[in-house]
Amino acid sequence: MSSGHNPQECKPEVVVSTSEELVISADPVHPANLICELCRNFYSLGWVTGTGGGISIRHEDHVFIAPSGVQKERIQPSDIFVLDRVTRTQLRRPLKPLKQSACTPLFYNAYDLRDAGACIHTHSQHAVMVTLLWPGKEFRCSHLEMIKGMRIKGTEKAMSYLDTLVIPIIENTPDEEDLREGMEQAMRDYPDAPAVLVRRHGTYSWGKDWEQAKCQAECLDYLLEVAVKMKLAGMETTVEAGVAP
Amino acid sequence: MSSGHNPQECKPEVVVSTSEELVISADPVHPANLICELCRNFYSLGWVTGTGGGISIRHEDHVFIAPSGVQKERIQPSDIFVLDRVTRTQLRRPLKPLKQSACTPLFYNAYDLRDAGACIHTHSQHAVMVTLLWPGKEFRCSHLEMIKGMRIKGTEKAMSYLDTLVIPIIENTPDEEDLREGMEQAMRDYPDAPAVLVRRHGTYSWGKDWEQAKCQAECLDYLLEVAVKMKLAGMETTVEAGVAP
Amino acid sequence: MSSGHNPQECKPEVVVSTSEELVISADPVHPANLICELCRNFYSLGWVTGTGGGISIRHEDHVFIAPSGVQKERIQPSDIFVLDRVTRTQLRRPLKPLKQSACTPLFYNAYDLRDAGACIHTHSQHAVMVTLLWPGKEFRCSHLEMIKGMRIKGTEKAMSYLDTLVIPIIENTPDEEDLREGMEQAMRDYPDAPAVLVRRHGTYSWGKDWEQAKCQAECLDYLLEVAVKMKLAGMETTVEAGVAP
Amino acid sequence: MSSGHNPQECKPEVVVSTSEELVISADPVHPANLICELCRNFYSLGWVTGTGGGISIRHEDHVFIAPSGVQKERIQPSDIFVLDRVTRTQLRRPLKPLKQSACTPLFYNAYDLRDAGACIHTHSQHAVMVTLLWPGKEFRCSHLEMIKGMRIKGTEKAMSYLDTLVIPIIENTPDEEDLREGMEQAMRDYPDAPAVLVRRHGTYSWGKDWEQAKCQAECLDYLLEVAVKMKLAGMETTVEAGVAP
């Protein structure tokens, strides 16, 4: 929701195509179509209201990114930006005067540090409540079936029911893109973590492809919701090793 | 939900057209189409159940207003009233014997005092709970990402994560139109406020256009919902200056 | 959800038509179409899950009633029973071997004692919680805007913001039709009440027509939900006369 | 969400058809169509997010089962497995490289021990919370109208309002298929129980056919949700015999 400082945005506009070729497709699982459909889905889940949150999908060397500050449930494929995976330069921008999502550097953390194929950012209230109820640097839970829906690093093998899910919590910053460094540090400090929570803000999670990213975002949100309920009911969300849950 | 006292309603009916010209359009973002679509959206969010709440959109010199006491999720474009922006006279009324929304003078507060392009009234339960849990004259919250979705005065630049959101709370009155004066006074006393809460009743918020109004209504509702959760969990919704949140 | 004891059901079946004439219509507000549409709406609100709850609509001398024990969100117009308003005999029954709703005598309380045009029965969890948190014979709330959506007796003039809403609570019985007497007594003891709550079960409310019945059912459910939240937060739901709310 | 150990899966693949004959039908209540439709319904109820949960339907000698680890709300009829009721061998498998649901042996518990026609597995958060708030081996509730939507054994006559619903709770295991034995034991120990809860995981419930299974899954979830609310409000969910509720 704030202005983007991504250096690539300063490149001369003449090199950027506004052609719809890269974003218009009859294939329902084309990234540009998926972003629109999933944003409508996420809106109904309360993850992206008020233009907050979003999703980026990578397909081979192309990174598809939604515009900044628009109603996520109303995005059209023609509104989508396409970036080069490596150089981050815009290969395609919308004809409308839209700005590329300020989450871009955060999404690239997932692409660069985890080789993700998609990254989801939510403003889930469950995430906000968890970061308020867990004032420290991480959230932990264990012995919940839905942990099995999370993957080591977000992109590798599925976690076991016997694993403890540990998600780092970073402090929020006034500008979204300034979260980049904190998120990168958290991902390096917690190399197995499949997501990062941002205090008083929301979640970043990712997966090998859009299906895994969506599955993990749903499992994470479910776990955060249950964790809040447990905490408010006076229960611990982790069980000590050797103690039957 | 009560009878309207707007003096314009007493004008001889002969001058008011019932033609559909001003409200029937194939353009999905025509104000009459938008009011119907957004009311269905707001119904699913629980903002306008039981014929409560609504939205008014201004387009140049025309103000589009829904009828009073009807199911908001079932409004048709042909049910919409069109008023002159300045004189408030009806330029168009429905053929059906419908009454103009009793919220009209409240919507005009947003048009007159903030030069708004749209105004949304909700009966959100989160708003009712906030006005019960904050018995004083204002609601405050800070250090929540979604504050960045709110704008100074509702129509100017976006708030920062470091700003404290302050929304005045006015007392409810038996007749909706009698809220006009209290709302105006609150808007003058809190010139930067992007919304007004009505005790035991709901919200009024607005924006430069329907997109900003909708975005801010969603962000406001999100913040009210989180604030209730924080308060019930024993947490403060504001952080003192100089204290890390 | 239990067997019906209505004496009319014992009449010889030969006099009952299974013709679709009374229930098949292209008019979207034909009672048989409305019952199907509203049941889908009520399902999404959580009022009629698990085959519970329902709605009956009266049109002149015909009473339209859904079958018993079926998924309410999947009812088709051809599944609807049509009864004579006065004699309660079936004028039309479905070709399928369905039983008339066990709520029939309860719906008739609204038709007979309030001259209602429609009656809605919900299994709303908010109603169940209110009857648990208010263990006495009535529920009261005041000074909530949505009270203005309720009508004296359910069929007369709208209540004022300054009125106290009083809804009698009756005890549940093992068989739904055995609620008839308790509901009738409550309606006579509370002649102005627009609804009856059934302990650990749900609501019955009604209106002059389906639109008023739906509006009041929504306002009632909203008020019950807010009342539960207020009670659990330690607040009273009524304000003493002369004390500013 | 884990690999299946069902011995039938080791049979040579050559005998398994990938023909669509058994799963493609224009009939909306064909089991393959129903599984897809109901999974979309269950997704919106929060029962099967993150690829969790599911439903199996039996039609005569054919058992229809969804694939493992896929988004339940996006299943297509062509993704469905068909097994022989008795031998459990795959009669049909999808052309795509999908694995049969790890819930298969659990669904067969319902088919074998209760002669069910359909079995539903949810990851309902209400179930998780009940198993946390009731740390013993069973959950009990009584005097709630929705108990009448549950059936003795899940397949026989409907319960009465005066009956106490008793649902066994089994401990979760790291692999879903390892729940088979615990679930079977619970079904033998509680021969009248219409469902089994799995601690920190979810529910298994069933019915004579898909309609009864769906109805009971909805009633069960409603009861679990109300039970959590009652417990957190300090109320008991059972009433002692002879004591007026």
Side-chain angles (χ1 to χ4, degrees):
Chain A
M1 269 174 269
S2 54
S3 61
H5 298 147
N6 194 318
Q8 277 71 30
E9 287 190 66
C10 307
K11 294 219 168 187
E13 289 197 24
V14 287
V15 304
V16 185
S17 164
T18 56
S19 150
E20 304 212 323
E21 195 184 339
L22 289 172
V23 293
I24 302 299
S25 163
D27 181 0
V29 295
H30 182 283
N33 291 334
L34 276 171
I35 287 175
C36 301
E37 181 188 350
L38 292 172
C39 280
R40 287 192 298 271
N41 185 183
F42 297 166
Y43 178 79
S44 74
L45 295 173
W47 292 358
V48 300
T49 57
T51 80
I55 179 172
S56 170
I57 297 177
R58 179 173 68 79
H59 182 68
E60 296 170 359
D61 289 340
H62 290 172
V63 168
F64 294 78
I65 283 185
S68 169
V70 300
Q71 300 177 73
K72 294 296 184 291
E73 75 280 16
R74 287 173 180 266
I75 292 175
Q76 298 299 317
S78 59
D79 301 334
I80 306 286
F81 291 81
V82 186
L83 274 62
D84 181 83
R85 164 76 176 86
V86 178
T87 63
R88 302 192 187 187
T89 48
Q90 287 180 0
L91 302 176
R92 192 264 164 184
R93 63 180 311 156
L95 204 56
K96 290 185 221 168
L98 294 167
K99 275 175 72 171
Q100 186 180 313
S101 169
C103 303
T104 305
L106 294 308
F107 293 144
Y108 265 87
N109 274 340
Y111 297 139
D112 291 345
L113 303 175
R114 294 287 195 271
D115 197 26
C119 184
I120 294 171
H121 172 43
T122 80
H123 283 192
S124 162
Q125 292 196 10
H126 309 307
V128 171
M129 289 304 294
V130 159
T131 65
L132 292 168
L133 292 167
W134 275 259
K137 286 181 180 304
E138 60 188 40
F139 162 74
R140 282 173 179 262
C141 68
S142 74
H143 294 88
L144 290 165
E145 175 68 11
M146 288 288 263
I147 288 173
K148 291 163 65 179
M150 305 301 296
R151 290 172 178 275
I152 309 289
K153 297 178 188 295
T155 45
E156 301 196 355
K157 74 168 178 155
M159 293 182 70
S160 149
Y161 179 68
L162 300 177
D163 292 333
T164 294
L165 178 69
V166 184
I167 311 277
I169 303 174
I170 65 172
E171 303 307 316
N172 200 23
T173 55
D175 285 314
E176 187 108 29
E177 50 272 40
D178 293 338
L179 289 171
R180 198 203 59 73
E181 202 175 343
M183 181 179 166
E184 178 181 341
Q185 191 60 51
M187 291 171 76
R188 295 197 187 280
D189 292 346
Y190 293 80
D192 287 347
V196 172
L197 298 181
V198 185
R199 183 110 49 214
R200 298 167 171 270
H201 182 158
T203 67
Y204 279 90
S205 62
W206 52 82
K208 194 182 62 180
D209 51 34
W210 71 271
E211 284 160 299
Q212 281 192 10
K214 172 174 176 288
C215 170
Q216 290 187 88
E218 288 178 354
C219 290
L220 175 63
D221 203 53
Y222 177 106
L223 291 164
L224 297 174
E225 184 175 1
V226 166
V228 170
K229 291 178 186 173
M230 291 176 75
K231 189 78 160 190
L232 293 179
M235 289 184 274
E236 294 299 316
T237 57
T238 50
V239 180
E240 272 182 64
V243 178
Chain B
M1 268 175 270
S2 55
S3 60
H5 298 148
N6 193 317
Q8 278 71 30
E9 286 191 65
C10 305
K11 293 220 170 185
E13 289 196 24
V14 287
V15 306
V16 185
S17 165
T18 56
S19 150
E20 303 211 323
E21 195 185 338
L22 289 173
V23 293
I24 302 300
S25 163
D27 181 359
V29 295
H30 182 284
N33 290 334
L34 277 172
I35 287 175
C36 301
E37 181 188 350
L38 292 171
C39 279
R40 287 193 298 272
N41 185 184
F42 297 166
Y43 179 80
S44 75
L45 296 173
W47 292 357
V48 300
T49 58
T51 80
I55 179 172
S56 170
I57 297 176
R58 180 172 67 80
H59 182 69
E60 296 172 358
D61 289 340
H62 290 172
V63 168
F64 295 78
I65 284 185
S68 169
V70 301
Q71 299 176 74
K72 294 296 184 289
E73 75 280 16
R74 288 173 180 265
I75 292 175
Q76 298 299 318
S78 60
D79 301 334
I80 305 286
F81 291 80
V82 185
L83 274 62
D84 180 84
R85 163 76 177 86
V86 178
T87 63
R88 303 193 187 187
T89 47
Q90 288 179 359
L91 302 175
R92 193 266 163 184
R93 63 181 311 157
L95 204 54
K96 292 187 220 166
L98 293 168
K99 276 174 72 171
Q100 186 181 312
S101 169
C103 303
T104 304
L106 294 308
F107 293 143
Y108 265 88
N109 274 340
Y111 297 138
D112 291 345
L113 302 175
R114 293 287 195 272
D115 197 25
C119 183
I120 294 171
H121 172 43
T122 80
H123 284 192
S124 162
Q125 292 195 12
H126 309 308
V128 171
M129 290 305 292
V130 159
T131 65
L132 292 167
L133 292 167
W134 275 259
K137 285 181 181 304
E138 60 188 40
F139 163 74
R140 280 173 181 263
C141 68
S142 74
H143 295 86
L144 291 164
E145 175 69 10
M146 287 289 262
I147 288 174
K148 290 164 65 181
M150 306 300 297
R151 290 172 178 274
I152 309 290
K153 297 177 188 293
T155 45
E156 301 195 356
K157 74 167 178 155
M159 292 182 71
S160 148
Y161 179 68
L162 301 177
D163 291 332
T164 295
L165 178 69
V166 184
I167 311 278
I169 303 174
I170 65 172
E171 302 306 316
N172 199 23
T173 54
D175 287 313
E176 187 108 27
E177 51 271 39
D178 294 338
L179 289 171
R180 197 203 60 73
E181 202 175 344
M183 180 180 169
E184 179 181 340
Q185 190 60 51
M187 291 172 77
R188 294 196 188 279
D189 292 345
Y190 292 81
D192 286 348
V196 172
L197 298 181
V198 185
R199 184 111 49 216
R200 297 165 172 272
H201 182 156
T203 67
Y204 279 91
S205 61
W206 52 83
K208 193 181 64 179
D209 51 34
W210 72 272
E211 284 160 300
Q212 280 193 8
K214 172 174 176 288
C215 170
Q216 291 187 87
E218 288 178 355
C219 290
L220 175 64
D221 203 53
Y222 177 106
L223 291 164
L224 298 173
E225 185 175 359
V226 166
V228 170
K229 292 178 185 172
M230 291 176 74
K231 189 79 161 190
L232 293 178
M235 289 184 274
E236 294 299 316
T237 56
T238 50
V239 180
E240 270 181 66
V243 178
Chain C
M1 267 175 270
S2 54
S3 60
H5 298 148
N6 192 317
Q8 278 72 30
E9 288 191 63
C10 306
K11 294 220 168 186
E13 290 196 23
V14 288
V15 303
V16 185
S17 165
T18 56
S19 150
E20 303 211 323
E21 194 185 339
L22 289 173
V23 294
I24 302 300
S25 164
D27 180 0
V29 295
H30 182 283
N33 290 334
L34 277 172
I35 287 175
C36 301
E37 181 188 350
L38 292 171
C39 279
R40 288 193 296 273
N41 184 185
F42 297 165
Y43 178 80
S44 74
L45 296 173
W47 292 357
V48 300
T49 57
T51 81
I55 179 172
S56 170
I57 297 176
R58 178 172 69 79
H59 182 67
E60 295 173 358
D61 289 339
H62 290 172
V63 168
F64 295 78
I65 284 184
S68 170
V70 300
Q71 299 177 73
K72 293 297 185 290
E73 75 279 17
R74 288 173 179 266
I75 292 175
Q76 298 299 318
S78 59
D79 301 335
I80 306 286
F81 291 81
V82 185
L83 274 63
D84 180 84
R85 162 77 177 85
V86 178
T87 64
R88 303 192 185 188
T89 48
Q90 287 179 0
L91 301 177
R92 193 266 163 183
R93 62 180 312 156
L95 204 54
K96 293 185 218 166
L98 294 167
K99 274 175 72 172
Q100 186 180 312
S101 169
C103 304
T104 305
L106 294 308
F107 293 144
Y108 265 89
N109 273 341
Y111 298 139
D112 291 345
L113 302 175
R114 293 287 195 272
D115 198 26
C119 183
I120 293 171
H121 172 43
T122 80
H123 283 192
S124 163
Q125 291 196 12
H126 309 306
V128 170
M129 289 305 292
V130 159
T131 65
L132 292 167
L133 292 167
W134 275 259
K137 287 181 181 303
E138 60 188 40
F139 162 74
R140 281 173 180 262
C141 69
S142 73
H143 295 87
L144 291 164
E145 175 68 9
M146 287 289 263
I147 288 174
K148 290 163 65 179
M150 306 301 295
R151 291 173 178 274
I152 309 289
K153 296 177 188 294
T155 45
E156 301 195 355
K157 73 168 180 157
M159 292 182 71
S160 149
Y161 179 67
L162 301 177
D163 292 332
T164 295
L165 178 69
V166 184
I167 311 277
I169 303 173
I170 65 173
E171 302 307 317
N172 199 22
T173 55
D175 287 314
E176 186 109 28
E177 51 271 40
D178 294 338
L179 289 171
R180 197 203 59 73
E181 202 174 345
M183 181 179 168
E184 177 182 340
Q185 191 60 50
M187 291 171 77
R188 294 195 189 280
D189 291 347
Y190 293 80
D192 286 348
V196 172
L197 298 181
V198 185
R199 183 111 50 214
R200 297 166 171 272
H201 181 156
T203 67
Y204 279 92
S205 62
W206 52 81
K208 193 181 64 179
D209 51 34
W210 72 272
E211 285 161 298
Q212 281 192 8
K214 172 174 176 289
C215 170
Q216 291 187 85
E218 288 178 355
C219 291
L220 176 63
D221 203 53
Y222 176 108
L223 290 165
L224 297 173
E225 185 174 359
V226 167
V228 170
K229 291 178 185 172
M230 291 176 75
K231 190 79 161 188
L232 293 178
M235 289 184 272
E236 295 298 317
T237 56
T238 51
V239 180
E240 270 181 66
V243 179
Chain D
M1 269 174 268
S2 55
S3 62
H5 299 148
N6 192 319
Q8 278 73 31
E9 287 190 66
C10 306
K11 295 220 168 186
E13 289 196 25
V14 288
V15 304
V16 185
S17 164
T18 55
S19 150
E20 303 212 324
E21 194 185 339
L22 288 173
V23 293
I24 302 300
S25 163
D27 181 0
V29 295
H30 182 283
N33 290 334
L34 277 172
I35 286 175
C36 302
E37 180 188 350
L38 293 171
C39 279
R40 288 193 296 272
N41 184 184
F42 297 165
Y43 178 79
S44 73
L45 296 173
W47 292 359
V48 300
T49 57
T51 81
I55 179 172
S56 170
I57 297 176
R58 178 173 69 79
H59 182 68
E60 294 172 359
D61 289 340
H62 290 172
V63 168
F64 295 78
I65 283 184
S68 169
V70 300
Q71 300 177 73
K72 294 297 183 291
E73 76 280 15
R74 288 173 179 266
I75 294 175
Q76 298 299 317
S78 60
D79 301 334
I80 305 286
F81 291 81
V82 186
L83 275 62
D84 180 84
R85 163 75 177 87
V86 177
T87 63
R88 303 192 185 188
T89 47
Q90 287 179 1
L91 302 176
R92 192 266 162 183
R93 64 179 310 156
L95 204 55
K96 292 185 220 166
L98 293 167
K99 276 175 69 171
Q100 185 180 314
S101 169
C103 303
T104 305
L106 294 308
F107 292 143
Y108 265 88
N109 274 340
Y111 297 139
D112 291 345
L113 302 175
R114 293 287 195 273
D115 197 25
C119 184
I120 294 171
H121 172 43
T122 80
H123 283 192
S124 163
Q125 292 197 10
H126 309 307
V128 171
M129 289 305 293
V130 159
T131 65
L132 292 168
L133 292 167
W134 275 259
K137 286 181 182 303
E138 60 189 41
F139 162 73
R140 282 173 179 261
C141 67
S142 74
H143 295 88
L144 291 165
E145 175 68 11
M146 287 289 263
I147 289 174
K148 291 164 65 180
M150 306 301 295
R151 291 173 178 275
I152 309 288
K153 296 176 187 297
T155 46
E156 301 196 354
K157 74 169 179 157
M159 293 182 70
S160 149
Y161 179 68
L162 301 177
D163 292 334
T164 295
L165 178 69
V166 184
I167 311 278
I169 302 172
I170 65 172
E171 301 308 316
N172 199 23
T173 56
D175 286 314
E176 186 108 28
E177 51 272 39
D178 294 338
L179 289 171
R180 198 204 58 72
E181 202 174 344
M183 180 180 167
E184 179 182 340
Q185 192 59 52
M187 291 172 77
R188 295 197 188 278
D189 292 346
Y190 292 80
D192 287 348
V196 172
L197 298 181
V198 186
R199 183 113 46 216
R200 296 164 173 274
H201 181 157
T203 67
Y204 279 91
S205 62
W206 52 82
K208 194 182 63 178
D209 52 34
W210 72 272
E211 285 160 299
Q212 280 191 10
K214 172 174 176 290
C215 170
Q216 290 187 88
E218 289 178 353
C219 290
L220 176 62
D221 202 54
Y222 176 107
L223 291 164
L224 297 173
E225 184 175 0
V226 167
V228 170
K229 292 179 185 172
M230 290 176 75
K231 190 78 159 189
L232 293 179
M235 290 184 272
E236 295 298 317
T237 57
T238 51
V239 180
E240 272 182 64
V243 178

